[in-house]
Every structure is written in structure tokens, then in C-alpha cells.
Amino acid sequence: MDKLFLIGFMGSGKSTVGKKLSLILNTSYIDTDSLIEETYQKKIPAIFKEEGENAFRKYETDILHTVTAEIVSTGGGIVEKDENVKWMQKNGVIIYLQSNFDEITTRLEKDSFRPLWDKSLADRRKLYIKRVIMYEQYADLVIDTTQKDIEAIAHEIIHEYTYNYKPNREKYRKEILKG
Ligand code: S3P
């Protein structure tokens, strides 16, 4: 099986869905944010505060390159770097968990603190729109999570991957030609 990379905005359920998928498929799971915190022994908000976003992005890329798990949930900003996207495309299937802005807002109200969500409503919206364009552009599969529970989302991913995922022929052709 390909590695499955879950991408999507903060609060779109990547970690909970990733864990559920790994249980159903009986395979390994990792969350890049947790791996960053473990490796650098620092919470993400502290990394942002003390070292800045660029340092965090560097850790994120370094960590992504070390993952061996089959199911990988990523931080919402993983798509900010082309090299991350290329790496995920080369090493697996990119699955975008789509949620609308209102649902994200409700979920994040109850959730833990995220440095990049700590802004005005207009700036949150701006970030959301910018990111959604990227997620859609890079995803191999898009799963709408609106009003669905975790179990249903996980089963939909398995179904879509099994029956509707067509590997990007161009990508594989290039790899084959490269030898
Ligand atoms: C970020 C999302 C967060 C975390 C960091 C930056 C982003 O992960 O990686 O705070 O740039 O969108 P989640 O998407 O798991 O909240």
C-alpha cells in the first residue's frame, strides 16, 4: 500500500482520522506535529514564539523526511513548502480532508491553542482561502468531512483509495523513465 498523507486546514480532523485509519487498516501511524514536539522536546506554540515560523517549517520538513509510518497526518502548513509536497507526491497518496470555514472555526474554539489561528477573523479567512487553494491543487483525493463522524470519514477514505484513486500516470511515467 502507498503511504497515506492526510492534509487539510487546522482542525480538519487529520490526527483523529489518521489514528482511526491506522486501527482499521492495522498499520502504523504518525502525526508530524507530535513527532516535532517529541524530537525537539518543545511544544509547537513555544517553537513559534521562541524560534519563529521559519524554524518550525524547517523542523517540519526535516521530520517529514524521516517518517516511516504508513498513515501520516500532517500540520496544516505542510503544503507551504514545495519540497514537502514533492516528497509526499513521490512517497504516497495525498488525501485532503475538506472542511468549511465555519466548521473549522467551531472546532478550533474548543481545541488547543494554534499560533497561526491567533489572528483577526479577516486574517483567519485569508489564511483559510490561501490554503484551500493549495490543498485542492495538490490532493490526489478530496474527502468532504462536513457533518460526518470519524469512522465514516475513515471508511470513505479507504473506499475512495481502493476504487477511485487513479495514480497520476505522468508522475509514474517520469519515475519509470528516470529508472
Ligand atoms: C499549522 C498547523 C498546525 C501546526 C502549526 C502550524 C499551520 O497543525 O503544524 O501550528 O500552519 O496551519 P494542525 O493542522 O494539526 O493544527
Side-chain angles (χ1 to χ4, degrees):
M1 196 175 114
D2 298 294
K3 272 191 202 310
L4 304 183
F5 293 101
L6 302 182
I7 66 165
F9 204 75
M10 296 170 246
S12 59
K14 293 163 297 200
S15 313
T16 20
V17 171
K19 273 182 219 149
K20 177 60 81 181
L21 266 179
S22 74
L23 284 176
I24 298 173
L25 297 170
N26 193 22
T27 186
S28 48
Y29 163 77
I30 196 70
D31 169 59
T32 55
D33 283 344
S34 308
L35 200 50
I36 290 170
E37 292 189 334
E38 235 171 70
T39 308
Y40 300 99
Q41 285 295 300
K42 225 184 216 186
K43 292 282 175 200
I44 287 170
I47 299 177
F48 269 80
K49 192 161 171 239
E50 292 161 22
E51 304 176 49
E53 182 173 351
N54 287 346
F56 173 79
R57 296 289 169 219
K58 175 160 188 329
Y59 297 157
E60 192 171 43
T61 300
D62 291 347
I63 286 296
L64 181 66
H65 286 77
T66 69
V67 295
T68 52
E70 295 302 313
I71 313 284
V72 184
S73 59
T74 62
I78 201 95
V79 291
E80 293 279 352
K81 274 194 177 176
D82 274 359
E83 64 177 303
N84 296 346
V85 174
K86 286 201 181 104
W87 196 89
M88 291 190 288
Q89 286 172 333
K90 191 158 178 259
N91 290 283
V93 179
I94 302 181
I95 299 170
Y96 166 33
L97 300 189
Q98 191 180 50
S99 307
N100 66 43
F101 184 78
D102 290 344
E103 204 158 320
I104 294 277
T105 306
T106 313
R107 284 193 211 147
L108 289 180
E109 261 163 31
K110 302 180 215 140
D111 214 325
S112 58
F113 175 75
R114 260 105 163 162
L116 292 183
W117 193 243
D118 189 25
K119 3 167 130 229
S120 69
L121 183 62
D123 284 343
R124 285 175 176 179
R125 241 183 233 289
K126 225 192 265 172
L127 179 65
Y128 176 82
I129 291 165
K130 174 186 155 206
R131 290 280 180 78
V132 161
I133 293 168
M134 293 173 157
Y135 301 138
E136 281 175 1
Q137 183 184 347
Y138 302 134
D140 293 305
L141 287 173
V142 180
I143 306 288
D144 180 5
T145 68
T146 316
Q147 310 244 310
K148 290 178 192 154
D149 65 24
I150 302 300
E151 184 102 22
I153 298 168
H155 283 291
E156 190 171 329
I157 291 174
I158 295 168
H159 183 275
E160 288 299 303
Y161 172 69
T162 310
Y163 297 106
N164 293 328
Y165 169 60
K166 306 256 183 312
N168 179 337
R169 301 283 166 207
E170 191 57 20
K171 172 174 109 181
Y172 284 89
R173 205 174 65 84
K174 274 190 196 141
E175 275 174 20
I176 291 162
L177 288 177
K178 254 197 292 175

